[in-house]
Amino acid sequence: MATEWNPTFVTDELVTLTRSLGEPAKDLVILAEGNTSQRLTDGRIAVKTSGSNMATSTSDEFVIVDVAPLVALMNDPAATQADLTAVLDAGEHGDVHRRGSIETLIHVAVQAISPSAFVAHTHPTAVVSLLASVHAATAFDEAVYSDEAVVLGVPLFVPYAQPGIDLGRLFYNHLQAYVDKHGALPSLVLLGNHGIVAIASSAAGAEAISLMAVKGARVRLNAYAIGGVAGLGADVVAKYFDREDFAERRKALAGTN
């Protein structure tokens, strides 16, 4: 069985992160939007259940998922959305049906390509505004202020695909191409017409990336409103990444390895 319900594997750190990202004032998600996961010591992941609210999450509202069977399903061209739904089913417990999030494959793809401790997927209004605009694919091509470069690094843009197996496959392919080019995972993935994915080695890093993406989107929206965005430029940002103090600050703030 690839998915099981076992709250004893769900850490307080994951629950705290999930509830924090779900706080209405942060405007990262609403209702049952968004999902989080944590890599366990045995290589499986704890991921939020479908339909549960991040702001009020408890350990009961996560399932434990084996990565390898989900990767095999994702890479099987004959597999369908119905097959994925079935694999994510953890059964009924306490009169509640538990199933992994429809976007579990996003979390699985990260672990399959380059294991990371925390993955957080949210739908911030400011970022989605950009990702639903004509600027979606290029909006984050250049950093627009220094701390954004520190925390977000070089983001990855993934075009829109229907959440579920279609998005999982597209996300996996784009993520692999990014790692092949850059030698490491991105801290931030931008999903066209959809939302963001923060990848970090700590819960604090996953939240920092998510919040900095929101600030970055707000800055861009304001800049577009008064004539356009003037980025820092590739040369300036490249020099940041060559600095030892920059790498230390990035690790501390963004939870990168």
Side-chain angles (χ1 to χ4, degrees), residues 241-255:
F241 279 91
D242 288 337
R243 287 169 44 170
E244 184 178 352
D245 62 326
F246 179 97
E248 291 174 352
R249 183 169 172 80
R250 180 161 160 71
K251 183 175 182 180
L253 294 176

Side-chain angles (χ1 to χ4, degrees), residues 11 19 32 64 87 102 123 128 134 144 154 157 162 180 217:
T11 67
R19 293 176 72 112
I64 311 303
V87 170
I102 190 175
H123 303 171
V128 175
V134 295
V144 295
V154 180
F157 175 76
Q162 190 173 78
D180 290 343

Side-chain angles (χ1 to χ4, degrees), residues 95-254:
D95 296 325
V96 178
H97 204 98
R98 311 286 184 178
R99 179 181 288 114
S101 167
I102 190 175
E103 291 156 335
T104 295
L105 290 185
I106 287 174
H107 303 263
V108 164
V110 172
Q111 304 306 333
I113 292 172
S114 184
S116 191
F118 290 92
V119 178
H121 170 48
T122 57
H123 303 171
T125 301
V127 187
V128 175
S129 295
L130 278 176
L131 297 178
S133 77
V134 295
H135 301 292
T138 59
F140 282 79
D141 277 358
E142 286 189 63
V144 295
Y145 56 96
S146 57
D147 264 8
E148 178 187 55
V150 171
V151 176
L152 302 186
V154 180
L156 166 66
F157 175 76
V158 178
Y160 181 80
Q162 190 173 78
I165 197 165
D166 290 345
L167 176 57
R169 287 167 171 156
L170 186 66
F171 182 90
Y172 181 91
N173 290 336
H174 277 72
L175 193 65
Q176 184 64 70
Y178 182 101
V179 172
D180 290 343
K181 179 179 179 179
H182 296 279
L185 289 168
S187 295
L188 175 68
V189 184
L190 305 156
L191 304 177
N193 292 86
H194 188 154
I196 64 173
V197 180
I199 304 169
S201 60
S202 69
E207 181 158 5
I209 292 161
S210 302
L211 295 177
M212 190 64 80
V214 173
K215 179 180 177 180
R218 289 174 177 160
V219 169
R220 286 167 174 79
L221 289 169
N222 288 335
Y224 283 129
I226 56 174
V229 173
L232 293 176
D235 290 344
V236 171
V237 174
K239 290 177 182 177
Y240 276 126
F241 279 91
D242 288 337
R243 287 169 44 170
E244 184 178 352
D245 62 326
F246 179 97
E248 291 174 352
R249 183 169 172 80
R250 180 161 160 71
K251 183 175 182 180
L253 294 176

Side-chain angles (χ1 to χ4, degrees), residues 17-39:
L17 169 65
T18 306
R19 293 176 72 112
S20 182
L21 294 176
E23 291 174 6
K26 292 175 180 170
D27 193 25
L28 295 169
V29 294
I30 192 171
L31 302 175
E33 286 183 342
N35 36 81
T36 54
S37 70
Q38 182 178 11
R39 181 177 174 85

Side-chain angles (χ1 to χ4, degrees), residues 22-86:
E23 291 174 6
K26 292 175 180 170
D27 193 25
L28 295 169
V29 294
I30 192 171
L31 302 175
E33 286 183 342
N35 36 81
T36 54
S37 70
Q38 182 178 11
R39 181 177 174 85
L40 305 179
T41 55
D42 62 7
R44 295 185 297 171
I45 59 172
V47 64
K48 190 180 80 75
T49 55
S50 179
S52 58
N53 191 312
M54 290 180 69
T56 58
S57 288
T58 69
S59 59
D60 287 348
E61 291 165 321
F62 290 83
V63 291
I64 311 303
V65 176
D66 282 323
V67 171
L70 270 295
V71 173
L73 183 144
M74 183 166 51
N75 290 330
D76 179 358
T80 66
Q81 181 60 42
D83 295 325
L84 175 61
T85 300

